[in-house]
Amino acid sequence: MIVPLTRQKFEQLIPLIATGLQYKYYWGNFSDFLQRLLISVVAVAVVFLVKVFLGLDFGIVFLIGLIGALYWLWGPVFWASMRNAKCRRYKYSGFLRGRVLDYWITEELIGKQETVDKKGDLVIVENREKRINLEVGDDTGFTVEYQAPLRVAYKVIARGQRAELLVMSNRPDLSSIDEISDIYIPSRDLWVSDYPCIQRDFFTGVSSRLRRDEEDERPRRRRRRVER
């Protein structure tokens, strides 16, 4: 079942500015940090050279230099916010409540490295990552697939478990889904996630409210049948 969401709720679910989890995602590992630090150093050097050769005002140069010098710190915020903006560009959204229809593990190529062995021959090393693939569907026959890096916590996932996620579209009737969010499994309080694009506290609040509404609706339906 897909429950349409208002634009206000959608923008609460997909934040404009990066959350802590999103910042952590783009912070990356130590090599990612070193790469951003190198960019910061190069930015400062370029600004200094421009100041020397063009004689620009010190105040402007200092401000630009400071921004460049701190790229290692604010870079993750920028990239996460840009990714959020790509999701927020969709005009319509819905809350999908379905079940895990199937799941399977694959090994994906995430990069290649070239190195030289002891004989001097070029060797290409492939970096592969195990990923979990989930197929989620509802009673209407609607299905989506989501892929995320494999985690130990995912071993509790089973077919038939309730699964919830956000779907995004540019069509008012949500007849064509262009993007989906990470997946929440309420019975395990578990997120299956690559990039954590959702405000999770707000999402679980919406999930709980919809479940209460569904439980309140069931007794009314039973009473109506009895009255007949």
Side-chain angles (χ1 to χ4, degrees), residues 6-62:
T6 64
R7 184 68 194 180
Q8 181 182 12
K9 279 191 171 61
F10 176 58
E11 291 182 352
Q12 288 174 323
L13 285 166
I14 307 291
L16 181 62
I17 305 299
T19 64
L21 284 175
Q22 293 169 350
Y23 184 88
K24 182 179 179 181
Y25 176 89
Y26 272 103
W27 179 266
N29 52 33
F30 186 65
S31 63
D32 296 324
F33 165 73
L34 287 180
Q35 187 177 41
R36 290 197 305 275
L37 187 61
L38 178 61
I39 293 173
S40 295
V41 172
V42 171
V44 171
V46 170
V47 170
F48 176 76
L49 291 174
V50 169
K51 169 67 173 73
V52 171
F53 289 104
L54 299 182
L56 297 179
D57 180 70
F58 176 77
I60 297 176
V61 172
F62 175 78

Side-chain angles (χ1 to χ4, degrees), residues 62-121:
F62 175 78
L63 180 60
I64 296 174
L66 182 62
I67 293 173
L70 294 177
Y71 173 75
W72 64 271
L73 182 64
W74 60 260
V77 176
F78 173 78
W79 293 114
S81 299
M82 289 293 292
R83 188 158 179 175
N84 291 350
K86 291 176 69 175
C87 290
R88 287 165 66 97
R89 73 169 186 254
Y90 294 109
K91 298 177 181 179
Y92 306 99
S93 64
F95 188 98
L96 172 62
R97 302 189 68 201
R99 294 190 180 277
V100 177
L101 301 180
D102 198 7
Y103 65 94
W104 62 95
I105 308 300
T106 57
E107 199 172 72
E108 304 292 332
L109 179 66
I110 60 174
K112 293 182 179 180
Q113 289 181 336
E114 294 184 355
T115 185
V116 178
D117 62 13
K118 295 180 180 180
K119 297 179 181 179
D121 297 327

Side-chain angles (χ1 to χ4, degrees), residues 161-215:
Q161 288 176 330
R162 177 80 70 180
E164 301 172 340
L165 62 145
L166 188 67
V167 297
M168 291 157 264
S169 175
N170 283 319
R171 295 189 178 184
D173 59 357
L174 301 176
S175 59
S176 175
I177 301 303
D178 300 305
E179 186 66 72
I180 64 173
S181 71
D182 31 351
I183 298 172
Y184 179 58
I185 300 179
S187 62
R188 297 292 183 173
D189 191 24
L190 176 68
W191 286 91
V192 180
S193 176
D194 181 8
Y195 174 70
C197 69
I198 290 179
Q199 284 271 26
R200 293 185 173 180
D201 290 344
F202 188 81
F203 184 92
T204 53
V206 173
S207 171
S208 299
R209 191 158 55 249
L210 289 174
R211 282 199 298 272
R212 287 196 300 269
D213 291 345
E214 184 180 359
E215 291 169 359

Side-chain angles (χ1 to χ4, degrees), residues 146-165:
Y146 184 81
Q147 187 183 82
L150 185 62
R151 302 283 183 265
V152 175
Y154 298 161
K155 65 182 180 181
V156 299
I157 294 174
R159 295 174 181 86
Q161 288 176 330
R162 177 80 70 180
E164 301 172 340
L165 62 145

